[in-house]
Amino acid sequence: MSVVVTGATGHLGRLIVEGLLDAGVTDVVAGGRRTERAADLAERGARVVELDYDRPETLAAALAGADTLMLVSGSEVGRRVAQHGAAIDAARAAGVRRVVYTSAPHADTTDLVLAPEHKATEELLAASGLVTTVLRNNWYTDNYVQPLRQAAATGEIVGSVGQGRVASATRADLAAGAVAVLTTDAHDGRTYELTGDHAWTHDELAAAASQVLGREVVYRDVTPDEQRAGLLAAGLDEGTAGFVVALDQNIATGALADATDTLRTLLGRPTTSLLDGLTAAWAATA
């Protein structure tokens, strides 16, 4: 088996490469733009190659002889459909058998602000003729390090989510789920909603933050306009502030609330709890 992992110098891609190596996969190709960041992966036995969605020749070279493409979704919002499409076209030209793709929760039906590019990529995959597995990853627990930093200074987590719930999972768990899919053919043609076992509220997030930080933390709910004004006052640009507010409104209306047991089943164990995930993410920043 030869598996090419895109974004291998990013957080999720790196974890997937490490998991494949741990699982004994002998031909793992770690692709990324900044190959110098993957020297440790090369030392562990991965074949590190330059892979740039915007440079077709790097895609062709990286995918030559590969059986599987682990397409970790790109980070450049607004450009991802074209970039993912280039990778899919290159995979088909190289004779790759299957593509595993990291998508967004309920990408084909949700109003989640992040979903349209993922929905479009899923449509490209469906039209490609390739065998596919779609991993619709919920929000990363690791993303809450920044709110923890604010809480450490102020004792508050501020948002406009109301009592909306988030079925988050850690990057490590989602990477392990991807490895479980990549190392067998049993998941061909499937679309999985991957979440943590428990969908939590921001009051629960504040309670967990209190334990991680060793100080009292409360969640303060504000209106979307108040949230936007506060973010702008803190120095965020209009686009970023608008994204944060839109995401909170998605959470408020339940876009990230659907907890499934699919990831738990792939892992063969419970998913990492909110508290344990936050503790690990916070410790990693120390």
Side-chain angles (χ1 to χ4, degrees):
M1 177 190 297
S2 175
V3 181
V4 177
V5 181
T6 71
T9 54
H11 295 297
L12 183 64
R14 169 177 287 276
L15 288 169
I16 293 171
V17 171
E18 291 173 347
L20 289 169
L21 294 171
D22 290 342
V25 179
T26 57
D27 191 358
V28 180
V29 179
R33 290 177 176 172
R34 302 286 299 275
T35 55
E36 70 275 10
R37 295 180 178 177
D40 59 318
L41 297 177
E43 290 174 359
R44 290 198 54 193
R47 184 155 48 96
V48 176
V49 301
E50 184 180 8
L51 191 154
D52 186 338
Y53 294 128
D54 298 320
R55 295 175 57 211
E57 68 276 12
T58 68
L59 291 167
L63 289 165
D67 172 75
T68 298
L69 169 61
M70 177 68 243
L71 180 55
V72 178
S73 55
S75 60
E76 297 179 75
V77 176
R79 301 187 62 202
R80 289 188 284 195
V81 178
Q83 291 176 336
H84 297 164
I88 294 165
D89 288 345
R92 187 169 50 193
V96 169
R97 189 186 73 82
R98 66 170 174 167
V99 178
V100 179
Y101 173 64
T102 58
S103 188
H106 302 288
D108 56 344
T109 59
T110 185
D111 61 356
L112 183 67
V113 64
L114 290 167
E117 289 181 297
H118 291 292
K119 177 183 178 183
T121 300
E122 289 188 17
E123 290 169 349
L124 291 176
L125 285 168
S128 71
L130 296 167
V131 174
T132 64
T133 305
V134 176
L135 309 179
R136 291 177 171 170
N137 292 346
N138 204 286
W139 203 237
Y140 300 143
T141 301
D142 315 59
N143 287 343
Y144 289 92
V145 167
Q146 182 56 37
L148 282 182
R149 290 196 183 103
Q150 295 168 344
T154 66
E156 290 186 332
I157 294 173
V158 180
S160 60
V161 302
Q163 289 300 303
R165 291 181 175 270
V166 181
S168 72
T170 65
R171 280 196 187 94
D173 280 358
L174 291 165
V179 170
V181 167
L182 289 164
T183 50
T184 175
D185 296 337
H187 309 284
D188 289 359
R190 302 293 191 90
T191 296
Y192 291 140
E193 301 288 341
L194 300 183
T195 75
D197 293 341
H198 173 66
W200 45 263
T201 67
H202 271 53
D203 288 329
E204 291 175 81
L205 175 63
S210 298
Q211 294 188 61
V212 173
L213 299 173
R215 64 163 297 176
E216 183 180 7
V217 177
V218 298
Y219 171 63
R220 179 162 64 90
D221 199 56
V222 298
T223 69
D225 286 344
E226 289 170 336
Q227 184 185 24
R228 182 179 289 103
L231 293 170
L232 293 173
L236 270 67
D237 61 81
E238 286 279 358
T240 303
F243 171 80
V244 173
V245 173
L247 180 63
D248 270 21
Q249 294 314 291
N250 288 147
I251 292 171
T253 56
L256 297 179
D258 182 21
T260 74
D261 64 359
T262 307
L263 181 56
R264 178 191 185 109
T265 300
L266 287 173
L267 299 177
R269 59 166 173 79
T271 60
T272 304
S273 69
L274 174 63
L275 176 59
D276 289 346
L278 289 176
T279 299
W282 184 250
T285 68

